[in-house]
Amino acid sequence: MGKLENIEQQIASLTQEELARFRAWFASYDGAEWDKQIAGDAAAGRLDALAQAALAEHRDGRTRAL
């Protein structure tokens, strides 16, 4: 059995309270990992083209306030 299958079995055996705590922990963990990825992409310039395209659309009046 692989690591992922083992984790799946462990999660399936949690009580409702434990599962709720796991969900809260994982949401926080996943969010932090996403933030790290976005920060790394921004630092590496991988988002520059998207930012420039958005700014150009705004300058051209192709955006609207919500």
Side-chain angles (χ1 to χ4, degrees), residues 11-57:
I11 291 170
S13 72
L14 296 175
T15 66
Q16 289 299 312
E17 181 181 320
E18 291 168 330
L19 186 57
R21 287 178 44 210
F22 173 75
R23 281 187 189 118
W25 171 83
F26 188 77
S28 176
Y29 172 81
D30 196 37
E33 289 298 308
W34 177 254
D35 289 347
K36 283 187 228 174
Q37 182 180 351
I38 292 296
D41 287 347
R46 288 188 283 271
L47 303 177
D48 291 353
L50 293 172
Q52 291 304 319
L55 290 170
E57 286 187 17

